[in-house]
Amino acid sequence: MDTQTLCLGVLNRGAASGYEIKKSFEEGPLAHIHEASFGAIYPALSRLAADGLVEYCELPQDKRPDKKVYSITSAGRRALEKALHHPPAADKFRSDFCFILFFAHLLPAEELARLIDARIHWYDETLARMEECEELGEHPAGERFVHGLGLAVYRAARNYLCDHRDDLLRDAAVPADTAAE
């Protein structure tokens, strides 16, 4: 999904600054779905404004540049709806954690255990935050559906780590005294 469409999607939920759009992808409702950097968001917003798909107002701030708050236009909403009709690209799973585990045979058991335990803890904390948001009755059906799918995926990943942690430690990890050689 291109950054312009991602920005239109966030703005379809309500007016936002570039910073607030970025936060939607870091800790907001889209945090587990997509990424968007400031280096991509601001040029996308400029193009969207030039094309009449978003508009903005500038709000003065003390000792800082004016803050631009963007909102989607009717043309922007139509462009978003049109983009949503295109088939999605295949999902890509990128994970530094999985890359490290792929080479588990090169790491000492203690380090692997610490890494896996930390990830299980991360899943526990993330799931707890997500479960606090389960009062989504007033949100659109798609948001509720994706939230439920996210919970299911994270629970499955957490459970897999718990169920298979000791197998990996037993089968792949090298003894601490040979790991650095």
Side-chain angles (χ1 to χ4, degrees), residues 87-124:
D91 290 344
K92 296 175 185 171
F93 182 75
R94 296 179 180 153
S95 169
D96 291 346
F97 174 73
C98 287
F99 182 83
I100 292 168
L101 290 185
F102 189 85
F103 296 99
H105 62 283
L106 301 175
L107 297 172
E110 303 80 37
E111 189 170 338
L112 279 174
R114 189 175 85 283
L115 181 69
I116 294 168
D117 293 344
R119 186 53 55 111
I120 290 168
H121 180 71
W122 179 86
Y123 276 122
D124 288 339

mmCIF file of all heavy atoms in Angstrom, residues 87-124:
data_model
loop_
_atom_site.group_PDB
_atom_site.id
_atom_site.type_symbol
_atom_site.label_atom_id
_atom_site.label_comp_id
_atom_site.label_asym_id
_atom_site.label_seq_id
_atom_site.Cartn_x
_atom_site.Cartn_y
_atom_site.Cartn_z
ATOM 1 N N PRO A 87 -6.601 -5.196 -5.596
ATOM 2 C CA PRO A 87 -6.180 -6.367 -4.808
ATOM 3 C C PRO A 87 -4.935 -6.038 -3.980
ATOM 4 O O PRO A 87 -4.026 -5.369 -4.477
ATOM 5 C CB PRO A 87 -5.870 -7.432 -5.857
ATOM 6 C CG PRO A 87 -6.370 -6.911 -7.151
ATOM 7 C CD PRO A 87 -6.565 -5.437 -7.023
ATOM 8 N N PRO A 88 -4.882 -6.505 -2.752
ATOM 9 C CA PRO A 88 -3.707 -6.217 -1.918
ATOM 10 C C PRO A 88 -2.501 -7.036 -2.354
ATOM 11 O O PRO A 88 -2.639 -8.126 -2.907
ATOM 12 C CB PRO A 88 -4.167 -6.641 -0.521
ATOM 13 C CG PRO A 88 -5.201 -7.691 -0.766
ATOM 14 C CD PRO A 88 -5.889 -7.308 -2.051
ATOM 15 N N ALA A 89 -1.346 -6.480 -2.101
ATOM 16 C CA ALA A 89 -0.105 -7.237 -2.315
ATOM 17 C C ALA A 89 -0.038 -8.337 -1.254
ATOM 18 O O ALA A 89 -0.731 -8.272 -0.233
ATOM 19 C CB ALA A 89 1.100 -6.306 -2.186
ATOM 20 N N ALA A 90 0.768 -9.323 -1.505
ATOM 21 C CA ALA A 90 0.956 -10.394 -0.517
ATOM 22 C C ALA A 90 1.532 -9.793 0.761
ATOM 23 O O ALA A 90 2.321 -8.851 0.719
ATOM 24 C CB ALA A 90 1.904 -11.454 -1.064
ATOM 25 N N ASP A 91 1.108 -10.333 1.896
ATOM 26 C CA ASP A 91 1.655 -9.885 3.176
ATOM 27 C C ASP A 91 3.134 -10.234 3.240
ATOM 28 O O ASP A 91 3.561 -11.279 2.751
ATOM 29 C CB ASP A 91 0.932 -10.552 4.352
ATOM 30 C CG ASP A 91 -0.494 -10.063 4.514
ATOM 31 O OD1 ASP A 91 -0.854 -9.024 3.937
ATOM 32 O OD2 ASP A 91 -1.259 -10.733 5.227
ATOM 33 N N LYS A 92 3.909 -9.351 3.859
ATOM 34 C CA LYS A 92 5.333 -9.584 4.058
ATOM 35 C C LYS A 92 5.589 -9.599 5.549
ATOM 36 O O LYS A 92 5.209 -8.676 6.257
ATOM 37 C CB LYS A 92 6.156 -8.481 3.413
ATOM 38 C CG LYS A 92 6.013 -8.430 1.914
ATOM 39 C CD LYS A 92 6.760 -7.256 1.351
ATOM 40 C CE LYS A 92 6.486 -7.165 -0.139
ATOM 41 N NZ LYS A 92 6.996 -5.933 -0.716
ATOM 42 N N PHE A 93 6.211 -10.637 5.994
ATOM 43 C CA PHE A 93 6.548 -10.744 7.403
ATOM 44 C C PHE A 93 8.021 -10.444 7.551
ATOM 45 O O PHE A 93 8.860 -11.156 7.002
ATOM 46 C CB PHE A 93 6.210 -12.147 7.931
ATOM 47 C CG PHE A 93 6.486 -12.311 9.386
ATOM 48 C CD1 PHE A 93 5.653 -11.741 10.330
ATOM 49 C CD2 PHE A 93 7.592 -13.022 9.810
ATOM 50 C CE1 PHE A 93 5.916 -11.880 11.679
ATOM 51 C CE2 PHE A 93 7.862 -13.173 11.152
ATOM 52 C CZ PHE A 93 7.023 -12.597 12.090
ATOM 53 N N ARG A 94 8.332 -9.375 8.252
ATOM 54 C CA ARG A 94 9.722 -8.993 8.489
ATOM 55 C C ARG A 94 9.950 -8.964 9.985
ATOM 56 O O ARG A 94 9.190 -8.337 10.710
ATOM 57 C CB ARG A 94 9.998 -7.627 7.888
ATOM 58 C CG ARG A 94 9.855 -7.631 6.396
ATOM 59 C CD ARG A 94 10.103 -6.277 5.823
ATOM 60 N NE ARG A 94 9.956 -6.363 4.391
ATOM 61 C CZ ARG A 94 9.604 -5.363 3.624
ATOM 62 N NH1 ARG A 94 9.390 -4.193 4.137
ATOM 63 N NH2 ARG A 94 9.487 -5.531 2.341
ATOM 64 N N SER A 95 10.976 -9.642 10.429
ATOM 65 C CA SER A 95 11.197 -9.733 11.860
ATOM 66 C C SER A 95 12.666 -9.948 12.165
ATOM 67 O O SER A 95 13.243 -10.967 11.774
ATOM 68 C CB SER A 95 10.371 -10.897 12.421
ATOM 69 O OG SER A 95 10.727 -11.181 13.741
ATOM 70 N N ASP A 96 13.248 -8.992 12.863
ATOM 71 C CA ASP A 96 14.618 -9.172 13.329
ATOM 72 C C ASP A 96 14.684 -10.365 14.276
ATOM 73 O O ASP A 96 15.647 -11.138 14.271
ATOM 74 C CB ASP A 96 15.109 -7.918 14.055
ATOM 75 C CG ASP A 96 15.292 -6.738 13.128
ATOM 76 O OD1 ASP A 96 15.300 -6.918 11.894
ATOM 77 O OD2 ASP A 96 15.421 -5.614 13.649
ATOM 78 N N PHE A 97 13.658 -10.509 15.101
ATOM 79 C CA PHE A 97 13.578 -11.616 16.052
ATOM 80 C C PHE A 97 13.668 -12.959 15.321
ATOM 81 O O PHE A 97 14.472 -13.825 15.677
ATOM 82 C CB PHE A 97 12.271 -11.501 16.842
ATOM 83 C CG PHE A 97 11.980 -12.650 17.751
ATOM 84 C CD1 PHE A 97 12.697 -12.814 18.931
ATOM 85 C CD2 PHE A 97 10.980 -13.557 17.446
ATOM 86 C CE1 PHE A 97 12.427 -13.876 19.784
ATOM 87 C CE2 PHE A 97 10.696 -14.618 18.292
ATOM 88 C CZ PHE A 97 11.418 -14.780 19.466
ATOM 89 N N CYS A 98 12.871 -13.136 14.283
ATOM 90 C CA CYS A 98 12.893 -14.401 13.538
ATOM 91 C C CYS A 98 14.218 -14.597 12.806
ATOM 92 O O CYS A 98 14.710 -15.721 12.701
ATOM 93 C CB CYS A 98 11.724 -14.463 12.560
ATOM 94 S SG CYS A 98 10.140 -14.738 13.387
ATOM 95 N N PHE A 99 14.805 -13.517 12.318
ATOM 96 C CA PHE A 99 16.109 -13.634 11.670
ATOM 97 C C PHE A 99 17.141 -14.176 12.657
ATOM 98 O O PHE A 99 17.904 -15.089 12.338
ATOM 99 C CB PHE A 99 16.556 -12.282 11.108
ATOM 100 C CG PHE A 99 17.868 -12.355 10.378
ATOM 101 C CD1 PHE A 99 17.916 -12.756 9.053
ATOM 102 C CD2 PHE A 99 19.049 -12.041 11.025
ATOM 103 C CE1 PHE A 99 19.127 -12.846 8.374
ATOM 104 C CE2 PHE A 99 20.272 -12.117 10.356
ATOM 105 C CZ PHE A 99 20.308 -12.521 9.033
ATOM 106 N N ILE A 100 17.149 -13.633 13.867
ATOM 107 C CA ILE A 100 18.088 -14.105 14.884
ATOM 108 C C ILE A 100 17.821 -15.573 15.215
ATOM 109 O O ILE A 100 18.739 -16.388 15.291
ATOM 110 C CB ILE A 100 18.019 -13.217 16.139
ATOM 111 C CG1 ILE A 100 18.561 -11.814 15.817
ATOM 112 C CG2 ILE A 100 18.793 -13.841 17.294
ATOM 113 C CD1 ILE A 100 18.290 -10.778 16.890
ATOM 114 N N LEU A 101 16.555 -15.925 15.388
ATOM 115 C CA LEU A 101 16.220 -17.319 15.716
ATOM 116 C C LEU A 101 16.571 -18.279 14.584
ATOM 117 O O LEU A 101 16.876 -19.446 14.832
ATOM 118 C CB LEU A 101 14.745 -17.451 16.068
ATOM 119 C CG LEU A 101 14.305 -16.833 17.387
ATOM 120 C CD1 LEU A 101 12.843 -17.155 17.664
ATOM 121 C CD2 LEU A 101 15.178 -17.272 18.547
ATOM 122 N N PHE A 102 16.532 -17.791 13.354
ATOM 123 C CA PHE A 102 16.906 -18.609 12.202
ATOM 124 C C PHE A 102 18.333 -19.136 12.372
ATOM 125 O O PHE A 102 18.662 -20.232 11.943
ATOM 126 C CB PHE A 102 16.781 -17.767 10.924
ATOM 127 C CG PHE A 102 16.922 -18.536 9.651
ATOM 128 C CD1 PHE A 102 15.837 -19.176 9.084
ATOM 129 C CD2 PHE A 102 18.152 -18.605 9.005
ATOM 130 C CE1 PHE A 102 15.961 -19.874 7.893
ATOM 131 C CE2 PHE A 102 18.292 -19.303 7.811
ATOM 132 C CZ PHE A 102 17.188 -19.938 7.254
ATOM 133 N N PHE A 103 19.161 -18.327 13.037
ATOM 134 C CA PHE A 103 20.551 -18.698 13.280
ATOM 135 C C PHE A 103 20.771 -19.084 14.740
ATOM 136 O O PHE A 103 21.861 -18.884 15.296
ATOM 137 C CB PHE A 103 21.484 -17.553 12.872
ATOM 138 C CG PHE A 103 21.429 -17.273 11.392
ATOM 139 C CD1 PHE A 103 20.661 -16.228 10.898
ATOM 140 C CD2 PHE A 103 22.102 -18.081 10.491
ATOM 141 C CE1 PHE A 103 20.588 -15.976 9.537
ATOM 142 C CE2 PHE A 103 22.032 -17.848 9.126
ATOM 143 C CZ PHE A 103 21.269 -16.789 8.641
ATOM 144 N N ALA A 104 19.778 -19.680 15.348
ATOM 145 C CA ALA A 104 19.847 -20.064 16.758
ATOM 146 C C ALA A 104 21.037 -20.965 17.046
ATOM 147 O O ALA A 104 21.611 -20.909 18.136
ATOM 148 C CB ALA A 104 18.552 -20.753 17.172
ATOM 149 N N HIS A 105 21.419 -21.772 16.077
ATOM 150 C CA HIS A 105 22.529 -22.695 16.283
ATOM 151 C C HIS A 105 23.868 -21.972 16.512
ATOM 152 O O HIS A 105 24.846 -22.596 16.901
ATOM 153 C CB HIS A 105 22.644 -23.663 15.104
ATOM 154 C CG HIS A 105 22.927 -22.984 13.804
ATOM 155 N ND1 HIS A 105 21.940 -22.322 13.091
ATOM 156 C CD2 HIS A 105 24.080 -22.842 13.104
ATOM 157 C CE1 HIS A 105 22.478 -21.806 11.996
ATOM 158 N NE2 HIS A 105 23.769 -22.113 11.977
ATOM 159 N N LEU A 106 23.900 -20.665 16.296
ATOM 160 C CA LEU A 106 25.124 -19.890 16.503
ATOM 161 C C LEU A 106 25.148 -19.163 17.842
ATOM 162 O O LEU A 106 26.132 -18.487 18.155
ATOM 163 C CB LEU A 106 25.286 -18.853 15.381
ATOM 164 C CG LEU A 106 25.360 -19.413 13.960
ATOM 165 C CD1 LEU A 106 25.402 -18.284 12.954
ATOM 166 C CD2 LEU A 106 26.559 -20.338 13.817
ATOM 167 N N LEU A 107 24.091 -19.307 18.622
ATOM 168 C CA LEU A 107 23.970 -18.566 19.880
ATOM 169 C C LEU A 107 23.971 -19.490 21.091
ATOM 170 O O LEU A 107 23.486 -20.618 21.017
ATOM 171 C CB LEU A 107 22.669 -17.755 19.877
ATOM 172 C CG LEU A 107 22.560 -16.681 18.799
ATOM 173 C CD1 LEU A 107 21.161 -16.088 18.792
ATOM 174 C CD2 LEU A 107 23.604 -15.601 19.025
ATOM 175 N N PRO A 108 24.458 -18.981 22.207
ATOM 176 C CA PRO A 108 24.404 -19.785 23.433
ATOM 177 C C PRO A 108 22.965 -19.906 23.941
ATOM 178 O O PRO A 108 22.139 -19.019 23.731
ATOM 179 C CB PRO A 108 25.272 -19.009 24.423
ATOM 180 C CG PRO A 108 25.472 -17.662 23.841
ATOM 181 C CD PRO A 108 25.186 -17.740 22.380
ATOM 182 N N ALA A 109 22.699 -20.999 24.612
ATOM 183 C CA ALA A 109 21.357 -21.286 25.118
ATOM 184 C C ALA A 109 20.839 -20.172 26.010
ATOM 185 O O ALA A 109 19.664 -19.809 25.934
ATOM 186 C CB ALA A 109 21.357 -22.617 25.868
ATOM 187 N N GLU A 110 21.700 -19.600 26.859
ATOM 188 C CA GLU A 110 21.254 -18.549 27.777
ATOM 189 C C GLU A 110 20.750 -17.335 27.010
ATOM 190 O O GLU A 110 19.767 -16.713 27.385
ATOM 191 C CB GLU A 110 22.386 -18.118 28.723
ATOM 192 C CG GLU A 110 22.997 -19.222 29.547
ATOM 193 C CD GLU A 110 24.009 -20.063 28.765
ATOM 194 O OE1 GLU A 110 24.768 -19.545 27.921
ATOM 195 O OE2 GLU A 110 24.008 -21.286 28.995
ATOM 196 N N GLU A 111 21.445 -16.982 25.931
ATOM 197 C CA GLU A 111 21.033 -15.830 25.132
ATOM 198 C C GLU A 111 19.717 -16.114 24.409
ATOM 199 O O GLU A 111 18.837 -15.261 24.337
ATOM 200 C CB GLU A 111 22.127 -15.448 24.143
ATOM 201 C CG GLU A 111 21.842 -14.129 23.450
ATOM 202 C CD GLU A 111 23.038 -13.630 22.661
ATOM 203 O OE1 GLU A 111 24.175 -14.032 22.952
ATOM 204 O OE2 GLU A 111 22.809 -12.814 21.760
ATOM 205 N N LEU A 112 19.598 -17.310 23.863
ATOM 206 C CA LEU A 112 18.334 -17.692 23.212
ATOM 207 C C LEU A 112 17.175 -17.661 24.200
ATOM 208 O O LEU A 112 16.102 -17.150 23.889
ATOM 209 C CB LEU A 112 18.446 -19.097 22.612
ATOM 210 C CG LEU A 112 19.119 -19.214 21.271
ATOM 211 C CD1 LEU A 112 19.266 -20.688 20.898
ATOM 212 C CD2 LEU A 112 18.358 -18.464 20.215
ATOM 213 N N ALA A 113 17.391 -18.201 25.374
ATOM 214 C CA ALA A 113 16.335 -18.224 26.391
ATOM 215 C C ALA A 113 15.922 -16.799 26.746
ATOM 216 O O ALA A 113 14.731 -16.486 26.825
ATOM 217 C CB ALA A 113 16.805 -18.974 27.633
ATOM 218 N N ARG A 114 16.905 -15.924 26.935
ATOM 219 C CA ARG A 114 16.610 -14.529 27.273
ATOM 220 C C ARG A 114 15.827 -13.858 26.144
ATOM 221 O O ARG A 114 14.854 -13.152 26.383
ATOM 222 C CB ARG A 114 17.912 -13.781 27.574
ATOM 223 C CG ARG A 114 17.710 -12.390 28.141
ATOM 224 C CD ARG A 114 19.024 -11.726 28.537
ATOM 225 N NE ARG A 114 19.742 -11.033 27.486
ATOM 226 C CZ ARG A 114 20.493 -11.520 26.490
ATOM 227 N NH1 ARG A 114 20.686 -12.733 26.361
ATOM 228 N NH2 ARG A 114 21.103 -10.802 25.609
ATOM 229 N N LEU A 115 16.242 -14.095 24.918
ATOM 230 C CA LEU A 115 15.589 -13.509 23.754
ATOM 231 C C LEU A 115 14.138 -13.985 23.640
ATOM 232 O O LEU A 115 13.222 -13.175 23.445
ATOM 233 C CB LEU A 115 16.377 -13.893 22.496
ATOM 234 C CG LEU A 115 15.879 -13.371 21.167
ATOM 235 C CD1 LEU A 115 16.077 -11.876 21.091
ATOM 236 C CD2 LEU A 115 16.649 -14.064 20.037
ATOM 237 N N ILE A 116 13.923 -15.268 23.753
ATOM 238 C CA ILE A 116 12.568 -15.825 23.635
ATOM 239 C C ILE A 116 11.695 -15.360 24.799
ATOM 240 O O ILE A 116 10.542 -14.962 24.600
ATOM 241 C CB ILE A 116 12.614 -17.360 23.537
ATOM 242 C CG1 ILE A 116 13.284 -17.786 22.226
ATOM 243 C CG2 ILE A 116 11.206 -17.953 23.634
ATOM 244 C CD1 ILE A 116 13.627 -19.259 22.153
ATOM 245 N N ASP A 117 12.237 -15.381 26.001
ATOM 246 C CA ASP A 117 11.464 -14.941 27.165
ATOM 247 C C ASP A 117 11.079 -13.471 27.047
ATOM 248 O O ASP A 117 9.959 -13.082 27.401
ATOM 249 C CB ASP A 117 12.233 -15.196 28.453
ATOM 250 C CG ASP A 117 12.395 -16.688 28.746
ATOM 251 O OD1 ASP A 117 11.671 -17.508 28.140
ATOM 252 O OD2 ASP A 117 13.261 -17.027 29.574
ATOM 253 N N ALA A 118 11.986 -12.654 26.529
ATOM 254 C CA ALA A 118 11.680 -11.231 26.335
ATOM 255 C C ALA A 118 10.560 -11.057 25.305
ATOM 256 O O ALA A 118 9.675 -10.215 25.467
ATOM 257 C CB ALA A 118 12.927 -10.468 25.905
ATOM 258 N N ARG A 119 10.577 -11.888 24.269
ATOM 259 C CA ARG A 119 9.526 -11.764 23.248
ATOM 260 C C ARG A 119 8.188 -12.249 23.797
ATOM 261 O O ARG A 119 7.146 -11.664 23.504
ATOM 262 C CB ARG A 119 9.921 -12.550 21.993
ATOM 263 C CG ARG A 119 8.967 -12.366 20.816
ATOM 264 C CD ARG A 119 8.694 -10.904 20.439
ATOM 265 N NE ARG A 119 9.871 -10.144 20.166
ATOM 266 C CZ ARG A 119 10.230 -9.694 18.979
ATOM 267 N NH1 ARG A 119 9.486 -9.940 17.925
ATOM 268 N NH2 ARG A 119 11.332 -8.993 18.845
ATOM 269 N N ILE A 120 8.193 -13.292 24.584
ATOM 270 C CA ILE A 120 6.949 -13.750 25.219
ATOM 271 C C ILE A 120 6.396 -12.633 26.109
ATOM 272 O O ILE A 120 5.198 -12.341 26.078
ATOM 273 C CB ILE A 120 7.183 -15.048 26.020
ATOM 274 C CG1 ILE A 120 7.455 -16.217 25.066
ATOM 275 C CG2 ILE A 120 5.986 -15.356 26.928
ATOM 276 C CD1 ILE A 120 7.969 -17.480 25.744
ATOM 277 N N HIS A 121 7.279 -11.988 26.858
ATOM 278 C CA HIS A 121 6.868 -10.869 27.713
ATOM 279 C C HIS A 121 6.284 -9.735 26.867
ATOM 280 O O HIS A 121 5.265 -9.139 27.218
ATOM 281 C CB HIS A 121 8.059 -10.384 28.543
ATOM 282 C CG HIS A 121 7.747 -9.245 29.444
ATOM 283 N ND1 HIS A 121 6.970 -9.374 30.569
ATOM 284 C CD2 HIS A 121 8.095 -7.942 29.375
ATOM 285 C CE1 HIS A 121 6.848 -8.199 31.153
ATOM 286 N NE2 HIS A 121 7.527 -7.316 30.444
ATOM 287 N N TRP A 122 6.926 -9.435 25.737
ATOM 288 C CA TRP A 122 6.420 -8.404 24.830
ATOM 289 C C TRP A 122 5.017 -8.762 24.337
ATOM 290 O O TRP A 122 4.123 -7.913 24.318
ATOM 291 C CB TRP A 122 7.383 -8.220 23.652
ATOM 292 C CG TRP A 122 6.913 -7.189 22.676
ATOM 293 C CD1 TRP A 122 7.124 -5.845 22.739
ATOM 294 C CD2 TRP A 122 6.131 -7.421 21.491
ATOM 295 N NE1 TRP A 122 6.516 -5.226 21.662
ATOM 296 C CE2 TRP A 122 5.904 -6.171 20.894
ATOM 297 C CE3 TRP A 122 5.602 -8.557 20.900
ATOM 298 C CZ2 TRP A 122 5.180 -6.031 19.709
ATOM 299 C CZ3 TRP A 122 4.875 -8.421 19.729
ATOM 300 C CH2 TRP A 122 4.671 -7.179 19.144
ATOM 301 N N TYR A 123 4.832 -10.014 23.940
ATOM 302 C CA TYR A 123 3.498 -10.441 23.505
ATOM 303 C C TYR A 123 2.489 -10.296 24.641
ATOM 304 O O TYR A 123 1.371 -9.847 24.421
ATOM 305 C CB TYR A 123 3.514 -11.886 22.997
ATOM 306 C CG TYR A 123 3.941 -12.017 21.552
ATOM 307 C CD1 TYR A 123 5.037 -12.796 21.198
ATOM 308 C CD2 TYR A 123 3.241 -11.388 20.535
ATOM 309 C CE1 TYR A 123 5.435 -12.930 19.879
ATOM 310 C CE2 TYR A 123 3.633 -11.511 19.209
ATOM 311 C CZ TYR A 123 4.724 -12.282 18.888
ATOM 312 O OH TYR A 123 5.107 -12.406 17.577
ATOM 313 N N ASP A 124 2.874 -10.684 25.855
ATOM 314 C CA ASP A 124 1.964 -10.558 26.995
ATOM 315 C C ASP A 124 1.531 -9.106 27.196
ATOM 316 O O ASP A 124 0.344 -8.815 27.368
ATOM 317 C CB ASP A 124 2.615 -11.088 28.274
ATOM 318 C CG ASP A 124 2.734 -12.603 28.297
ATOM 319 O OD1 ASP A 124 1.998 -13.282 27.551
ATOM 320 O OD2 ASP A 124 3.576 -13.107 29.073
#
